[in-house]
Amino acid sequence: GDSVTQMEGPVTLSEEAFLTINCTYTATGYPSLFWYVQYPGEGLQLLLKATKADDKGSNKGFEATYRKETTSFHLEKGSVQVSDSAVYFCALNNFNKFYFGSGTKLNVKP
Amino acid sequence: NAGVTQTPKFQVLKTGQSMTLQCAQDMNHEYMSWYRQDPGMGLRLIHYSVGAGITDQGEVPNGYNVSRSTTEDFPLRLLSAAPSQTSVYFCASSPSTGQKPYEQYFGPGTRLTVT
């Protein structure tokens, strides 16, 4: 069945460091791909999305490119801030069902 | 817009009790869904609905029932609570474009403990 695998955390970075969180997926057909962010005690918020191969999603300095050949959707940011500390989830949507990765906790230290 | 609302925020049940988690959205979204979030496991889809009167099972439907009589509401019923259902439950909604729902809007969650 469809699934999403993302790197385990926690990831600890200093402010202004470069961030990569790896995400790979398994799916039939042509899924849409998403990154969501969750702050403590809250629900998930959409960070960015891509709906077809080679699309690049971007928002608030975060980027991810839909790579069908490597079935990946890695999240990147050039310079993280303390306020980026949160849990990040990679997800896919295929045939009306959403599948989420297990989440990666990011800690950014000043 | 209130977005997606969930009640209650917290609930403690005894094993064998039943209850209904409420979810409502005011965005006229066709697609609604329920997830449970457990440590280290991300979110898992319990049930979803692509419109009023239509529901279907997700990854982990056992022990849960849903119905969708209106576009706005999508309640989740626990028939006979078990400790394995201790979790945080999220409801989400999404506009649908053709056959594909796109980004989801999440409620604040309900933290359920079953003793």
Side-chain angles (χ1 to χ4, degrees):
Chain A
D2 294 359
S3 65
V4 175
T5 303
Q6 62 182 101
M7 63 188 284
E8 291 190 20
V11 174
T12 301
L13 296 173
S14 297
E15 208 164 21
E16 299 184 4
F18 184 86
L19 168 71
T20 300
I21 300 177
N22 289 338
C23 171
T24 57
Y25 68 90
T26 301
T28 56
Y30 303 93
S32 298
L33 302 175
F34 306 84
W35 277 100
Y36 283 85
V37 59
Q38 185 179 34
Y39 298 100
E42 298 184 8
L44 279 67
Q45 303 171 26
L46 178 70
L47 182 59
L48 53 84
K49 69 178 181 183
T51 56
K52 61 183 187 299
D54 298 325
D55 269 1
K56 177 186 278 190
S58 61
N59 186 24
K60 299 180 182 179
F62 291 90
E63 292 183 342
T65 301
Y66 188 145
R67 302 280 188 208
K68 194 162 177 65
E69 64 275 13
T70 54
T71 61
S72 65
F73 193 56
H74 305 320
L75 182 68
E76 296 181 336
K77 187 176 186 184
S79 176
V80 294
Q81 305 300 312
V82 172
S83 57
D84 294 327
S85 297
V87 181
Y88 292 82
F89 291 91
C90 185
L92 73 83
N93 165 246
N94 207 14
F95 301 111
N96 284 329
K97 293 186 178 181
F98 284 85
Y99 300 87
F100 285 80
S102 56
T104 302
K105 186 172 185 179
L106 171 65
N107 296 317
V108 180
K109 297 187 172 181
Chain B
N1 278 354
V4 180
T5 58
Q6 291 183 240
T7 56
K9 283 188 166 38
F10 302 94
Q11 183 70 50
V12 179
L13 289 178
K14 293 189 189 311
T15 297
Q17 287 184 317
S18 62
M19 80 158 295
T20 300
L21 307 185
Q22 300 292 343
C23 174
Q25 53 92 8
D26 61 358
M27 297 173 282
N28 202 32
H29 286 170
E30 296 177 25
Y31 184 97
M32 296 185 74
S33 52
W34 276 102
Y35 297 87
R36 57 178 292 172
Q37 183 178 27
D38 301 297
M41 298 188 73
L43 276 74
R44 291 181 292 168
L45 181 65
I46 304 172
H47 287 285
Y48 67 98
S49 168
V50 297
I54 306 168
T55 64
D56 206 346
Q57 296 181 351
E59 283 182 86
V60 289
N62 293 341
Y64 307 95
N65 270 1
V66 292
S67 60
R68 183 98 179 268
S69 55
T70 67
T71 299
E72 294 78 19
D73 299 298
F74 191 44
L76 177 73
R77 281 182 288 277
L78 280 70
L79 308 172
S80 176
S84 60
Q85 294 179 304
T86 293
S87 188
V88 180
Y89 290 84
F90 288 101
C91 179
S93 72
S94 173
S96 288
T97 303
Q99 293 299 311
K100 261 189 175 178
Y102 288 100
E103 63 262 29
Q104 295 194 97
Y105 297 79
F106 283 83
T110 294
R111 186 174 293 274
L112 175 69
T113 302
V114 182
T115 62

